[in-house]
Amino acid sequence: MRRTLDIAPLRSFVAVADCGGFQRAAASLHLSQAAVSQHVRRLESATGRSLVERQGRGSRLTRDGEHLLSQARRILTLHDETLHSFGLGTEEAVVIGSTEHGAAHLLPFLATVLTQSLPHCHVRFRIDRGTKLREGLDAGRVDLALLLGPADDPRARPVGELELIWYSAPTWRRPSPAQPIPVVAFDQPCALRTRALETLSLHAIPAVIGAEAIQLAGVQAAVGAGLGVALMATLGQTPEGLVARDDLPRPAPLPLAVWSRHGLSAKIAQRVAEALQQLLTQAAAKTIVTNLELAKGA
């Protein structure tokens, strides 16, 4: 009987190894878990060896599986290089997750840059809360995520800092010192909400949550309605109908990092990080201009 190692099962097998399990591999390949399991069984039938074994709730490669993994990587590399040499490169789907602040100001630029620098990738974006994006990375549903906060994980690559500015409605007036300042913020958990309250607290300014929202549009609408002030990362672009404030303490910027799922190509993560670093450099210049204008008006 003639035995073959087909490309699709080999891709599934490598994904299982890189993602740490069948469920994550299936999500990263946009296949069902049953399809990935079937692919691995086909490889075990072709090799006559057990390649994956259960370990608690997860799985691990056997010694034969480790041997096949190294060979599978070589086969897939040669396969893809051959197609590329004929101008028929395979298109890789990459899912990039972002919060709404990133979607409004980072993603349009990022989409343009990635179309040029990663022509063989089909980029798809997912907009969600930071906690959901982290869950997506762990499950393999998201390949990269743009997240605010410290890069305290091996999967995170720091790309810079986002300057933060206070915004309010044009008619809003700061209350007397004895009265707390109403803050409009996202629901918990939220890095911007935390930074806003910490900044006011550090300057002994009383504050209270005046309105909460689960989406950026809700935050901006509440601020526009005069319900309070909000701290936003706008990359130097003032939201329509709002004004920047010069009578509140300047907050420290928030670090931005690109988080990668296990097994994602380092080249893709690097290209995304480089694009964001370029954008943040440009945005920093705009924010400096905004701060200078605020200082002049003070």
Side-chain angles (χ1 to χ4, degrees):
M1 181 181 68
R2 184 177 181 179
R3 302 188 181 192
T4 60
L5 297 174
D6 294 326
I7 295 299
L10 288 175
R11 287 199 193 281
S12 291
F13 178 69
V14 170
V16 169
D18 288 342
C19 297
F22 286 83
Q23 182 177 0
R24 294 179 181 178
S28 70
L29 295 171
H30 305 288
L31 297 173
S32 67
Q33 187 171 341
V36 173
S37 297
Q38 184 181 39
H39 283 170
V40 173
R41 287 197 296 271
R42 284 172 58 183
L43 293 177
E44 290 181 328
S45 177
T47 60
R49 306 293 178 89
S50 175
L51 303 174
V52 181
E53 62 185 8
R54 291 196 173 279
Q55 184 179 40
R57 295 184 178 180
S59 58
R60 68 176 182 181
L61 300 186
T62 64
R63 181 174 299 180
D64 289 319
E66 293 286 356
H67 174 65
L68 178 61
L69 179 63
S70 63
Q71 298 298 321
R73 294 191 193 279
R74 294 173 58 191
I75 293 170
L76 292 175
T77 297
L78 183 58
H79 171 273
D80 293 347
E81 287 178 351
T82 302
L83 285 180
H84 287 318
S85 70
F86 286 99
L88 301 171
T90 56
E91 184 178 67
E92 183 177 359
V94 178
V95 180
I96 299 179
S98 173
T99 59
E100 284 190 282
H101 276 84
H105 304 291
L106 299 175
L107 298 194
F109 172 86
L110 188 59
T112 300
V113 171
L114 294 183
T115 298
Q116 300 169 352
S117 61
L118 296 172
H120 300 296
C121 289
H122 169 65
V123 178
R124 180 160 55 91
F125 294 102
R126 178 175 180 81
I127 314 304
D128 213 330
R129 299 295 300 273
T131 51
K132 293 295 185 181
L133 294 177
R134 286 184 173 85
E135 293 173 3
L137 286 170
D138 292 338
R141 296 188 300 270
V142 175
D143 298 304
L144 290 164
L146 316 183
L147 297 174
L148 293 173
D152 53 359
D153 189 284
R155 297 172 296 170
R157 185 190 301 261
V159 295
E161 294 182 327
L162 284 179
E163 296 291 336
L164 307 177
I165 295 178
W166 293 102
Y167 290 98
S168 75
T171 57
W172 186 85
R173 295 292 179 266
R174 180 173 174 176
S176 65
Q179 298 295 318
I181 289 180
V183 174
V184 179
F186 282 98
D187 291 343
Q188 287 280 37
C190 173
L192 285 168
R193 174 186 177 130
T194 300
R195 180 57 51 87
L197 296 176
E198 287 179 346
T199 299
L200 295 175
S201 176
L202 284 173
H203 290 79
I205 299 175
V208 64
I209 297 297
E212 296 176 297
I214 60 173
Q215 295 181 326
L216 179 59
V219 171
Q220 293 182 346
V223 174
L227 301 183
V229 295
L231 197 58
M232 301 185 196
T234 60
L235 280 76
Q237 303 175 42
T238 300
E240 184 177 358
L242 305 184
V243 294
R245 306 293 306 189
D246 60 359
D247 56 351
L248 293 173
R250 184 176 177 180
L254 277 174
L256 177 69
V258 175
W259 289 57
S260 307
R261 67 164 173 79
H262 291 298
L264 182 69
S265 165
K267 174 184 176 182
I268 294 176
Q270 179 62 31
R271 292 292 173 84
V272 173
E274 290 172 350
L276 288 172
Q277 287 168 346
Q278 179 183 347
L279 176 59
L280 291 178
T281 299
Q282 297 172 358
K286 292 182 179 180
T287 303
I288 289 174
V289 172
T290 300
N291 287 331
L292 288 175
E293 292 175 347
L294 288 174
K296 290 179 181 179

